[in-house]
Amino acid sequence: MEEYGSHAHSISSCKYHFVWCPKYRHPVLGLVQDEVTELFTETADHFGHEILALEIADDHVHLFVQTDPKHSPADVARQFKSYSGKHILERRPEIRESYFWGGGFWKVGYYVGTTGVVSEEVVQRYIEQTEH
């Protein structure tokens, strides 16, 4: 994906940094790291996202993704978490039985931060200078 996305009537640069954990913060991601990577790649391809960085620790995931502005951060998190969580538990029943007996692989919550090519200070100065 290019630095800016071009659409019918807009240009955008939407980049999000997400962090989320397995339920109960069980340190199981090292056991399923390859599956998580594969499932995240499939999700990105399906929805047209670009994974800019991915780091999988034992008990949490960092995902840096660029996407179209039609996808809200909540939508993006749901897309990655629901698809991967469902398939991990289907593929690895031993993990489900040992750690996730209550259903669901990921915690409900997550962290999201936005990044862009223009700093907050530049935007503020631009707005202040263009006021009439």
Side-chain angles (χ1 to χ4, degrees), residues 87-121:
H87 288 281
I88 289 168
L89 292 178
E90 286 176 357
R91 293 179 182 182
R92 304 293 293 271
E94 72 280 6
I95 289 177
R96 172 180 231 140
E97 292 168 11
S98 298
Y99 298 101
F100 302 102
W101 56 92
F105 184 79
W106 300 108
K107 276 186 169 186
V108 173
Y110 57 89
Y111 162 83
V112 62
T114 59
T115 66
V117 295
V118 180
S119 73
E120 182 178 326
E121 294 166 348

Side-chain angles (χ1 to χ4, degrees), residues 14-19 63-65 73 110-116:
C14 297
K15 298 175 185 173
Y16 303 116
H17 171 214
F18 292 98
V19 181
L63 173 66
F64 186 38
V65 63
Y110 57 89
Y111 162 83
V112 62
T114 59
T115 66

Side-chain angles (χ1 to χ4, degrees), residues 39-57:
L39 294 165
F40 279 16
T41 300
E42 290 174 10
T43 301
D45 291 344
H46 179 76
F47 289 101
H49 309 312
E50 180 184 2
I51 296 174
L52 302 173
L54 175 61
E55 181 63 36
I56 302 170

Side-chain angles (χ1 to χ4, degrees), residues 28-49:
V28 298
L29 293 176
L31 303 172
V32 294
Q33 184 169 356
D34 292 340
E35 287 101 323
V36 171
T37 301
E38 174 190 338
L39 294 165
F40 279 16
T41 300
E42 290 174 10
T43 301
D45 291 344
H46 179 76
F47 289 101
H49 309 312

